RNA sequence: GGGCCUGUAGCUCAAUUGGUUAGAGCAGAGCGCUCAUAACGCUUUGGUUGGGGGUUCGAGUCCCUCCGGGCCUACCA
C-alpha cells in the first residue's frame, strides 16, 4: 500500500466553472483519487477555491457585495457543485483561509532569509476614479500599431503586438472607462527565480515520464530569451494576504498583498492543514503528507491541471518550495490537459457560451457528464463537445451497453428463477473462455488507470462491459432454459456476478450508478477482481437481489435539439 | 514575430515510439436473436495518414517545405 497525495488546480472564485474547466483538472483528479483508494492506497485528495486578485474584487463589486462575503458565498456554491459532480475531495479549502495566510507569509519570510526576494520600485498605472492600480490588461486604449480602439495594455488583440500600457493612445480604465489615469511609483517584491534556473532545469530534465505538454512548456519558460525571469509576487490590492515576513511586518510593504499566483499553490499545503484542523488533528497529521522528514518521503504527489497552469506548477511553485530550504514535498508527476471546446468554438465564461456546472446538473445526473467528459478527456490535443456526440455516447455506452445488460440479466432471472442468485449447473468452457478474455482486459484497465491514461481506461472499461453482452448472446440462457434450466441458471449466476464486478470496476467513472448496482445486488462486497474467477463467484446461490430502476435513460432527439438551442447563446 | 502542439475512415479517437496488410467505437449496409431501455450479437462497406519533397531495406512515426487548426509568449487567473 502506497500513499498518494493528489491535488487539482484550484478553481478561481469569480463564478461557476464550465465543463472545460471541470474536465481539465478536478474530474480526472477525482477519477485517479477514487481508483487509488479502491486499490487500497492511502489517498489525500485536496482542492480549494482560488480567491484573491483583481477579478475577484471586480466580481464582488459587480454583485454589490463586500469581497469577503462574495468569496464565502461563491465558495459555498462551488462546494455544492463539486459535491453534485461527486468530486471526492478530502478537503475543499479556501486560499483565503487563515492557514494559508500564515503559511504564505512563512514562505515569503524563508525566501527573504535565503536572499531570494528582491525589492523593486516600478511604475504602474493608477486610476483615480477607480481608486486602484490597474493591471496592464485592465487598461484599454487605441493601439499605436494598428489603430484598434479596444487594445489592452498588455497586448493588442487585433494585431497581436505586445504593448506597454503607456504605449496606448488615449488610455482608459477597462473597469470604469475613466481617463483619469496617472503613472505612480510603487514598490514590489520579486521572487528571484532566475537564480534557481539551473536547479529547476535539472529537476525538469529528471522527469522523463512527464507528458510532453508539461515539460515543453516548462523548458520554454526556462530557456526562452534571457531564460527564467524573476517574478513580482506582490500587488497593490486590498483583498489578499498581507505582505509579511513570517510573523513580522515588512517595512515599506504596508497595505500590499501577495500576488494570487504566489499564494494559490501554497494553498495546496495549507489545505491539508485546514483538513487536519477541521478534524481536530495535530500538525503531524498533515505534515506526514507534506514534510519529507516527517513521513512524506514515501508519498507520491500527483498534480492535475489545464495547460495554462503549467508554468506556475513547474517553475514558480517549485522555486518557492525549493527556495525555502525546508523539506517540503515536491510534485512527482504532473498530468496536464488541453482544452475542451464547445461546438466549434471555445467555452466562454464571459460570453456564457457552453455548459456550466450548475446547468449540467440541472439537465442530467453527474454520471452522464462524468462518463462523457472522462472518455473524451483532452489528453493528446484539444477536444470538442458536441450535443450529438454527447447524446450518442451516453445512449450507446451507458444506456445500451451497460444499463441494458444489467436490465436484461436481472429481469430474465426474476421471471425464470425469482429474485435470488439461482443455484444449479456449473461454470463450463464458455464461462472459462469469458474469464480468459476478461482477465487481460481488467489488467489493461488497471495499467491505464495507474498511468492516468484516462481515455484509454474508458475505452477498456467499455470493452469490458461489451464482453458481458457478447457472452450472454452466445450463451443464450433464454433458449437453454427450455431444455436445461440448470445450465441456464449457471449462465445467469455468472451474469449477476458480472454486474457486481462491473459496479466495482466502473466506480471511478460513474460512482452513483456503481452504488445503484451494488445496492441492487444487495451486497457490500466491493472487493477488486484481482482473481476474476473468484470474483465471479462472490454472490453465491440463494443470494437475494432486486431488479434496479433503469440505470441510464436515453437522451431523446428533442432534448438534444432543445439544449443545443439553449446553450448556444449568452447565459441567462 | 518566436516557441510548442496538432492534422489518420462521414464523426470521435488508436497505432507497442522506425517494423508485416494503418486499427476501434459511432454512423451506413446485410444477417441473426427475442432475455432486455426497439436493446444485444455476428458479418461488412469505408483511408494516396492535409499537399509536395527527402532520409531509410522499411515512414502515420524522422528531416525540409507549403496549407489548415489550436495554445503559450511572463501584470487575467
Amino acid at each position: 500500500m502506497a500513499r498518494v497525495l493528489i491535488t487539482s488546480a484550484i478553481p478561481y472564485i469569480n463564478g461557476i466553472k464550465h465543463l472545460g474547466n471541470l474536465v481539465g483538472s478536478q474530474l480526472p483528479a477525482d477519477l485517479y483519487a477514487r481508483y487509488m483508494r479502491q486499490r487500497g492506497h492511502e489517498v489525500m485528495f485536496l482542492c480549494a477555491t482560488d480567491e484573491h486578485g483583481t477579478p475577484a474584487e471586480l466580481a464582488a463589486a459587480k454583485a454589490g457585495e463586500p469581497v469577503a462575503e462574495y468569496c464565502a458565498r461563491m465558495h459555498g456554491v462551488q462546494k455544492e457543485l463539486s459535491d453534485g459532480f461527486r468530486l471526492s475531495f478530502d478537503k475543499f479549502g479556501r486560499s483565503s483561509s487563515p492557514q494559508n495566510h500564515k503559511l504564505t507569509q512563512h514562505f515569503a519570510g524563508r525566501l527573504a532569509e535565503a536572499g531570494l526576494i528582491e525589492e523593486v520600485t516600478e511604475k504602474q498605472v493608477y486610476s483615480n476614479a477607480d481608486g486602484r492600480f490597474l493591471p496592464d490588461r485592465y487598461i484599454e486604449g487605441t493601439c499605436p500599431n494598428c489603430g484598434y480602439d479596444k487594445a489592452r495594455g498588455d497586448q493588442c488583440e487585433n494585431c497581436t503586438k505586445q504593448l506597454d500600457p503607456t504605449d496606448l493612445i488615449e488610455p482608459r480604465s477597462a473597469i470604469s472607462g475613466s481617463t483619469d489615469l496617472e503613472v505612480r511609483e510603487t514598490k514590489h517584491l520579486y521572487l528571484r527565480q532566475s537564480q534557481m534556473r539551473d536547479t529547476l532545469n535539472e529537476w525538469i530534465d529528471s522527469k522523463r515520464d512527464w507528458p510532453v505538454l508539461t515539460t515543453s512548456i516548462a523548458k520554454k519558460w526556462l530557456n526562452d530569451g534571457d531564460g527564467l525571469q524573476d517574478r513580482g509576487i506582490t500587488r497593490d490590492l486590498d483583498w489578499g494576504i498581507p505582505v509579511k515576513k513570517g510573523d513580522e511586518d515588512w517595512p515599506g510593504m504596508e497595505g500590499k498583498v501577495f500576488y494570487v499566483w504566489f499564494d494559490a499553490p501554497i494553498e495546496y499545503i495549507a489545505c491539508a492543514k485546514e483538513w487536519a484542523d477541521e478534524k481536530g488533528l495535530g500538525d503531524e497529521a498533515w505534515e506526514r503528507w507534506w514534510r519529507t522528514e516527517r513521513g512524506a518521503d514515501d508519498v507520491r504527489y500527483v498534480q492535475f491541471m489545464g495547460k495554462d497552469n503549467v508554468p506556475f506548477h513547474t517553475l514558480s511553485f517549485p522555486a518557492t518550495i525549493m527556495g525555502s530550504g525546508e523539506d517540503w514535498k515536491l510534485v512527482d508527476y504532473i498530468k496536464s490537459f488541453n482544452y475542451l471546446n464547445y461546438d466549434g468554438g471555445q467555452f466562454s465564461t464571459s460570453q456564457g457560451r457552453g455548459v456550466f456546472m450548475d446547468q449540467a446538473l440541472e439537465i442530467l445526473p453527474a454520471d452522464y457528464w462524468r462518463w462523457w467528459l472522462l472518455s473524451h478527456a483532452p489528453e493528446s490535443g484539444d477536444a470538442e463537445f458536441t450535443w450529438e456526440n454527447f447524446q450518442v455516447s451516453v445512449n450507446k455506452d451507458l444506456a445500451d451497453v451497460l444499463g441494458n445488460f444489467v436490465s436484461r440479466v436481472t429481469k430474465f432471472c426474476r421471471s425464470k428463477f425469482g429474485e435470488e442468485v439461482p443455484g444449479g449447473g456449473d461454470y463450463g468452457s464458455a464461462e472459462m473462455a469469458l474469464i480468459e478474455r476478461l482477465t487481460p482486459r481488467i489488467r489493461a484497465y488497471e495499467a491505464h488507470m495507474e498511468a492516468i491514461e484516462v481515455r484509454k481506461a474508458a475505452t477498456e472499461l467499455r470493452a469490458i462491459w461489451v464482453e458481458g453482452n457478447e457472452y450472454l448472446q452466445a450463451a443464450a440462457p433464454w433458449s437453454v432454459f427450455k431444455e436445461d434450466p440448470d445450465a441456464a441458471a449457471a449462465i445467469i449466476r455468472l451474469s449477476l456476478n458480472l454486474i457486481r464486478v462491473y459496479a466495482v470496476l466502473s466506480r471511478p467513472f460513474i460512482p452513483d450508478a456503481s452504488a445503484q448496482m451494488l445496492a441492487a445486488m444487495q451486497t457490500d462486497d466491493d472487493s477488486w477482481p484481482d482473481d476474476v474467477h473468484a470474483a465471479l463467484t462472490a454472490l453465491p446461490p440463494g443470494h437475494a437481489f432486486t431488479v434496479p430502476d433503469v440505470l441510464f435513460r436515453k437522451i431523446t432527439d428533442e432534448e438534444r435539439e432543445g439544449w443545443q438551442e439553449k446553450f448556444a447563446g449568452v447565459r441567462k
Side-chain angles (χ1 to χ4, degrees), chain A residues 15-34:
Chain A
I16 290 165
K17 303 294 110 178
H18 54 63
L19 296 182
N21 299 131
L22 182 65
V23 74
S25 56
Q26 291 163 291
L27 196 51
D30 181 67
L31 180 82
Y32 188 60
R34 285 176 176 275

Side-chain angles (χ1 to χ4, degrees), chain A residues 508-528:
Chain A
F509 282 90
I510 47 173
D512 288 347
S514 166
Q516 279 179 58
M517 288 159 77
L518 284 181
M521 291 303 105
Q522 297 191 6
T523 179
D524 296 326
D525 181 357
D526 59 355
S527 57
W528 194 260

Side-chain angles (χ1 to χ4, degrees), chain A residues 405 421-422 426-428 430-439 442 464 467-468 471 489-505 521 525 527-541:
Chain A
F405 176 79
V421 177
D426 292 304
Y427 291 176
E431 287 68 33
M432 295 307 139
L434 173 65
I435 289 164
E436 277 179 30
R437 284 196 305 276
L438 237 27
T439 301
I442 292 171
I464 289 168
E467 290 286 356
Y471 164 74
I491 295 165
I492 290 303
R493 189 161 67 250
L494 182 136
S495 300
L496 288 166
N497 271 285
L498 208 45
I499 293 172
R500 188 198 70 83
V501 170
Y502 286 171
V504 173
L505 293 174
M521 291 303 105
D525 181 357
S527 57
W528 194 260
D530 291 312
D531 177 334
V532 179
H533 186 276
L536 290 174
T537 56
L539 303 177

Side-chain angles (χ1 to χ4, degrees), chain A residues 35-285:
Chain A
Y35 176 74
M36 293 312 270
R37 286 193 198 104
Q38 257 187 285
R39 301 310 311 277
H41 303 306
E42 189 182 355
V43 169
M44 177 62 73
F45 179 26
L46 304 173
C47 192
T49 39
D50 179 12
E51 305 192 359
H52 299 133
T54 308
E57 292 190 346
L58 298 180
K62 194 176 170 191
E65 280 177 89
V67 63
E69 282 175 30
Y70 172 82
C71 288
R73 181 170 65 79
M74 288 310 296
H75 173 82
V77 169
Q78 294 210 19
K79 173 75 172 76
E80 197 173 319
L81 289 170
S82 69
D83 287 344
F85 274 95
R86 305 294 182 256
L87 302 175
S88 61
F89 306 130
D90 290 292
K91 175 66 185 172
F92 187 63
R94 304 181 59 184
S95 69
S96 62
S97 69
Q99 289 88 343
N100 197 37
H101 277 236
K102 197 162 190 309
L103 195 58
T104 298
Q105 290 163 346
H106 166 82
F107 270 108
R110 292 290 305 186
L111 291 166
E113 281 169 38
L116 291 167
I117 300 283
E118 186 180 11
E119 297 188 9
V120 175
T121 299
E122 56 192 11
K123 290 183 163 57
Q124 291 234 327
V125 174
Y126 185 86
S127 165
N128 289 302
D130 296 301
R132 60 161 67 236
F133 282 93
L134 297 177
D136 289 359
R137 72 174 54 192
Y138 282 96
I139 301 161
E140 281 180 356
T142 301
C143 175
N145 189 48
C146 73
Y148 181 61
D149 66 354
K150 288 198 179 73
R152 292 188 322 206
D154 56 340
Q155 185 175 32
C156 174
E157 282 179 324
N158 188 49
C159 67
T160 73
K161 187 178 174 58
Q162 307 266 323
L163 299 172
D164 198 74
T166 53
D167 296 338
L168 292 172
I169 299 162
E170 292 176 15
R172 60 183 184 275
S173 162
I175 300 164
S176 62
S178 167
T179 54
D180 184 10
L181 308 177
E182 63 182 61
V183 176
R184 287 191 186 177
E185 281 203 341
T186 180
K187 191 160 74 174
H188 283 296
L189 303 182
Y190 272 66
L191 175 61
R192 302 174 76 185
Q193 319 185 102
S194 57
Q195 305 236 322
M196 304 187 65
R197 184 180 164 198
D198 292 343
T199 311
L200 289 166
N201 232 330
E202 270 176 47
W203 179 65
I204 295 292
D205 280 340
S206 74
K207 304 300 181 186
R208 303 303 301 242
D209 60 332
W210 286 11
V212 183
L213 187 63
T214 306
T215 51
S216 64
I217 292 173
K219 298 297 278 186
K220 158 84 167 143
W221 280 54
L222 280 165
N223 300 320
D224 197 40
D226 299 328
L228 187 61
Q229 302 296 298
D230 293 341
R231 193 166 183 108
I233 59 164
T234 55
R235 290 292 183 273
D236 288 295
L237 292 175
D238 297 324
W239 173 240
I241 297 178
V243 176
K244 283 190 161 191
K245 196 180 287 185
D247 296 330
E248 295 164 28
D249 289 340
W250 204 310
M253 298 305 290
E254 295 81 8
K256 296 174 194 285
V257 299
F258 285 107
Y259 175 43
V260 54
W261 260 116
F262 184 69
D263 75 66
I266 295 173
E267 168 61 13
Y268 290 144
I269 307 175
C271 186
K273 181 165 165 56
E274 287 179 51
W275 165 84
D277 289 351
E278 183 180 84
K279 289 204 154 12
L281 302 168
D283 282 344
E284 66 281 356

Side-chain angles (χ1 to χ4, degrees), chain A residues 346-383:
Chain A
Q346 294 187 345
F347 273 88
S348 168
T349 304
S350 55
Q351 292 170 37
R353 188 166 187 281
V355 186
F356 291 73
M357 285 172 73
D358 56 340
Q359 300 169 322
L361 291 179
E362 284 163 18
I363 294 176
L364 288 168
D367 281 354
Y368 293 64
W369 298 105
R370 289 179 62 105
W371 174 254
W372 189 88
L373 290 168
L374 289 168
S375 62
H376 294 79
E379 290 177 302
S380 57
D382 291 349

Side-chain angles (χ1 to χ4, degrees), chain A residues 538-552:
Chain A
L539 303 177
H543 179 90
F545 71 91
T546 53
V547 174
D549 293 335
V550 165
L551 282 180
F552 297 99

